[in-house]
Amino acid sequence: MEPAVSLAVCALLFLLWVRVKGLEFVLIHQRWVFVCLFLLPLSLIFDIYYYVRAWVVFRLSSAPRLHGQRVRDIQKQVREWKEQGSKTFMCTGRPGWLTVSLRVGKYKKTHKNIMINLMDILEVDTKKQIVRVEPLVTMGQVTALLTSIGWTLPVLPELDDLTVGGLIMGTGIESSSHKYGLFQHICTAYELVLADGSFVRCTPSENSDLFYAVPWSCGTLGFLVAAEIRIIPAKKYIKLRFEPVRGLEAICDKFTRESQRPENHFVEGLLYSLDEAVIMTGVMTDEAEPSKLNNIGSYYKPWFFKHVENYLKANKGGLEYIPLRHYYHRHTRSIFWELQDIIPFGNNPIFRYLFGWMVPPKISLLKLTQGETLRKLYEQHHVVQDMLVPMKCLSQAVHTFHNDIHVYPIWLCPFILPSQPGLVHPKGDEAELYVDIGAYGEPRVKHFEARSCMRQLEKFVRSVHGFQMLYADCYMSREEFWEMFDGSLYHRLREQLGCQDAFPEVYDKICKAARH
Ligand SMILES: Cc1cc2nc3c(=O)[nH]c(=O)nc-3n(C[C@H](O)[C@H](O)[C@H](O)COP(=O)(O)OP(=O)(O)OC[C@H]3O[C@@H](n4cnc5c(N)ncnc54)[C@H](O)[C@@H]3O)c2cc1C
């Protein structure tokens, strides 16, 4: 048969199938059809556009010249809002569907949207070891530029599309956080436009209250217009050790010990059941044994979490050399393990070789096209949560996750939490080792009910002086929220800076009622 005729027959059969099953059924239960046919090509076009744009802007050095003008434009918008009587709160004008968080804030429709068109890397100063960036710069942009000139961020959150603004105003973490802390702890200065339209720069020694209050405030103290972030020299590879461990106590012991060893640049754990895990430790190196080189980020390679699982199945440790950028974005192609629910055959070698170069679909486009029915289904039958708890409570926390939601794999990422003022700090006066427990997927617990199960989990996290990441669904009441987070500095600054009439309180932005 002629190729055109075969194509036409296939298209006809497909349309017939959609007609018989109904469009809604196909969109909900066979989402891969829509994702593979439409979202993957669209995502690719999106990515190419942003990559080329960032490259051209940086090459022409036009960003630093235009930055001042762009900031003045934001100040002008804020002053106009004030002159018009400050009728509603303000928020950033970035559409909700463009963010990585799976939720879309309802407030975008009712608040005054301030357009912040700041998406460029402004300056790399290798002498001071600082990169100055605008808030919409993404992690993909940062690694593409910095690693090409031999530098990197000490903490480089995993997904390509995460933005500097979102990681500072929300949270950012990576497997090097046991050494360097959260994303906010590698930042040395923030530049903001405040509620009165004024511009301010803050550092640990200059306007330090504001500097410590900004992280996790979700844009409720001002608009971030630039940030300075530490950089460190990069090496070509990560020498990564994989070690399967069995028994929860042995897992917790091993994971804690590895997180305390300063010679480990990277520590990560993937928990595949209550008592089976693979713990990975990595160091940066310029040398690699060619036979152990693994370009894990290449489109035809197996998904990272599946590759790691093979070590568990074989019950044998291993050593690999992974190119730095491939390591940083190792969970990007499978969006951790979220993509297996959308494209169930996505890790099949045939799919990977034929279409893997288009994967993953952009989270923003997935959100934009999910529709109300699918959104509600996701809410009731899907969990995306990161809970940060003291490392000493890891075993108790894993048991609680197991009983309340039962989602595997679970992501374990250690981090050091310095004792600093602000919304998030340890209970005592000293830095404390914490762990981020990430649960993404379909809960297998019997009779899962999102609200009650999540409230139970939140209660546990509060009881051990832990924190919930604010991008996720939060079912806490206002009182419970302020029991979890230290609002003393935050509330004082909101009053001082006139934020109460300009921005909602952080709880009102992130609580369940505020989001679709
Ligand atoms: C599937 C998934 C995977 C994830 N993986 C990781 C991961 O690997 N590592 C990690 O650290 N985190 C991860 N996260 C969580 C992520 O850290 C948060 O979603 C974070 O807030 C960044 O998202 P964003 O860049 O889309 O920011 P946004 O959602 O756009 O912003 C977060 C908050 O900051 C505010 N904000 C943003 N820019 C500004 C600005 N210029 N001025 C004022 N306010 C601003 C926004 O209003 C919003 O309240 C993941 C989340 C999901 C859903």
Side-chain angles (χ1 to χ4, degrees), residues 94 99-100 158-159 163 166 169 171-173 218-219 224 471 509:
R94 190 181 186 212
T99 67
V100 169
E158 157 70 30
L159 297 187
T163 63
M169 289 289 182
T171 329
I173 191 166
C218 291
L224 186 74
Y471 76 85
K509 245 183 131 171

Side-chain angles (χ1 to χ4, degrees), residues 74 91-96 98-103 107-108 116 118 134-139 155-174 177 182-183 191-193 214 216-226 328 330-332 335-336 338 363 367 384-386 411 413 436 440 469-472 503 506 509-510 515:
I74 293 165
C91 65
T92 61
R94 190 181 186 212
L98 259 180
T99 67
V100 169
S101 160
L102 299 183
R103 304 287 155 248
Y107 56 83
K108 292 277 180 191
I116 298 186
L118 299 169
E134 293 184 329
L136 284 176
V137 161
T138 64
M139 287 303 103
V155 175
L156 208 139
E158 157 70 30
L159 297 187
D160 282 18
D161 290 342
L162 293 167
T163 63
V164 166
L167 293 166
I168 291 169
M169 289 289 182
T171 329
I173 191 166
E174 230 314 309
S177 287
L182 298 172
F183 193 79
E191 295 170 25
L192 295 124
V193 169
V214 158
W216 295 67
S217 67
C218 291
T220 58
L221 290 170
F223 294 111
L224 186 74
V225 291
Y328 279 145
R330 64 201 178 281
H331 293 298
T332 296
I335 320 182
F336 285 82
E338 289 284 61
I363 293 180
K367 270 162 69 179
V384 181
Q385 287 282 348
D386 281 84
W411 192 51
C413 182
D436 174 0
Y440 324 117
M469 273 206 198
L470 302 183
Y471 76 85
F503 308 107
V506 58
K509 245 183 131 171
I510 61 92
R515 300 176 179 200

Side-chain angles (χ1 to χ4, degrees), residues 3 13 41 204 292-293 317 327 335 337 393 412 464 467 491:
L13 284 173
K292 293 183 177 157
L293 194 61
Y327 176 79
I335 320 182
W337 25 98
C393 309
L412 298 179
V464 295
F467 308 94
H491 288 303

Side-chain angles (χ1 to χ4, degrees), residues 263-325:
E263 57 271 37
N264 284 331
H265 297 160
F266 302 94
V267 179
E268 174 183 25
L270 293 186
L271 201 58
Y272 289 90
S273 75
L274 183 61
D275 53 10
E276 290 175 308
V278 177
I279 291 173
M280 287 159 276
T281 53
V283 289
M284 271 198 211
T285 171
D286 276 326
E287 313 298 328
E289 296 170 53
S291 62
K292 293 183 177 157
L293 194 61
N294 186 356
N295 297 317
I296 191 71
S298 303
Y299 69 89
Y300 48 84
K301 287 280 183 172
W303 287 346
F304 185 70
F305 76 98
K306 286 287 182 195
H307 174 62
V308 176
E309 194 177 15
N310 287 336
Y311 283 102
L312 186 70
K313 286 181 180 157
N315 201 19
K316 205 164 148 240
L319 175 71
E320 294 178 8
Y321 293 83
I322 301 184
L324 182 64
R325 207 154 173 254

Side-chain angles (χ1 to χ4, degrees), residues 31-32 34-36 38-44 46-47 159 161 303 332-335 338-340 342-343 351 355-367 369:
R31 199 162 184 225
W32 63 267
F34 179 68
V35 170
C36 292
F38 300 104
L39 289 197
L40 287 182
L42 212 60
S43 300
L44 193 72
F46 227 71
D47 274 341
L159 297 187
D161 290 342
W303 287 346
T332 296
R333 282 190 304 130
S334 51
I335 320 182
E338 289 284 61
L339 201 58
Q340 65 182 353
I342 299 171
I343 309 178
F351 181 84
F355 305 108
W357 49 277
M358 285 197 276
V359 165
K362 291 208 92 65
I363 293 180
S364 45
L365 295 181
L366 283 170
K367 270 162 69 179
T369 56

Side-chain angles (χ1 to χ4, degrees), residues 20-45:
V20 171
K21 289 285 185 186
L23 186 61
E24 189 171 274
F25 177 92
V26 174
L27 284 180
I28 292 172
H29 298 282
Q30 308 292 338
R31 199 162 184 225
W32 63 267
V33 177
F34 179 68
V35 170
C36 292
L37 288 182
F38 300 104
L39 289 197
L40 287 182
L42 212 60
S43 300
L44 193 72
I45 294 169

Side-chain angles (χ1 to χ4, degrees), residues 205-267:
S205 54
E206 179 190 355
N207 298 313
S208 62
D209 277 355
L210 184 58
F211 179 79
Y212 290 117
V214 158
W216 295 67
S217 67
C218 291
T220 58
L221 290 170
F223 294 111
L224 186 74
V225 291
E228 287 176 16
I229 312 172
R230 278 172 59 201
I231 53 174
I232 54 171
K235 293 189 176 163
K236 286 187 192 149
Y237 308 101
I238 304 298
K239 182 179 176 184
L240 194 65
R241 281 186 194 285
F242 300 79
E243 192 158 340
V245 188
R246 289 190 154 79
L248 186 57
E249 290 319 308
I251 292 168
C252 295
D253 264 15
K254 168 90 180 153
F255 189 67
T256 309
R257 262 186 290 116
E258 294 297 352
S259 306
Q260 286 165 337
R261 288 178 58 197
E263 57 271 37
N264 284 331
H265 297 160
F266 302 94
V267 179

